[in-house]
Amino acid sequence: MARMHDVVIDCAHPASLARFWAQALDDHEIAPYGDVELARLRSMGIDDPEDDPSVLLDGSPRFFFNRVPEPKTVKNRVHVDLWCDDVEAEVERLVGLGASVVSRDGIWFVLSDPEGNEFCLSSTEHPLSPEA
């Protein structure tokens, strides 16, 4: 039986997108760059972690942000759903971090991250939320 391991998001600039998601999610942080990680980058001719083509965001689940050459062109087929206590305040906070509001459908907001990847946000008061 398969188990969830990582969520991988293709993007143009992994470091900046990982920073957005680290700020968006209160239980995730960018994995630190120790000697092994810095050596991995140097072996690829990269001197600055800002140019890392694959950035890890630690948490559960883990997120990897991988550089790809092509831009996003269509709606995501898979997306992340986020819950919060105060949806209006959280939308405002996420927009302040660089997200954009795509639409609102009842209790659901559809937003996009700074590279256009859609995600949804709703209140923990949603009848199907884990806390309900």
Side-chain angles (χ1 to χ4, degrees):
M1 176 83 48
R3 295 182 308 272
M4 172 65 83
H5 187 250
D6 296 323
V7 174
V8 180
I9 298 176
D10 292 345
C11 58
H13 194 262
S16 59
L17 199 57
R19 279 193 300 275
F20 167 83
W21 283 100
Q23 292 176 310
L25 301 171
D26 66 359
D27 56 352
H28 285 71
E29 62 183 29
I30 295 174
Y33 283 86
D35 292 339
V36 172
E37 279 299 296
L38 294 172
R40 175 185 67 87
L41 292 177
R42 283 192 300 274
S43 75
M44 298 184 313
I46 298 170
D47 296 321
D48 186 349
E50 185 68 17
D51 298 322
D52 188 349
S54 184
V55 177
L56 171 63
L57 194 63
D58 271 336
S60 181
R62 297 183 328 170
F63 285 79
F64 268 97
F65 298 88
N66 289 337
R67 180 178 300 133
V68 296
E70 67 278 355
K72 180 182 177 296
T73 58
V74 297
K75 182 178 186 276
N76 298 11
R77 296 291 300 238
V78 176
H79 67 268
V80 176
D81 281 350
L82 304 179
W83 301 103
C84 65
D85 292 327
D86 183 341
V87 72
E88 298 288 340
E90 188 62 6
V91 166
E92 185 176 327
R93 186 182 79 83
L94 293 168
V95 167
L97 294 174
S100 299
V101 176
V102 175
S103 65
R104 181 177 186 172
D105 183 11
I107 62 169
W108 288 99
F109 277 87
V110 178
L111 296 104
S112 62
D113 70 19
E115 289 204 15
N117 301 297
E118 295 90 2
F119 62 98
C120 292
L121 178 69
S122 187
S123 169
T124 53
E125 296 173 7
H126 183 280
L128 299 179
S129 74
E131 292 82 19

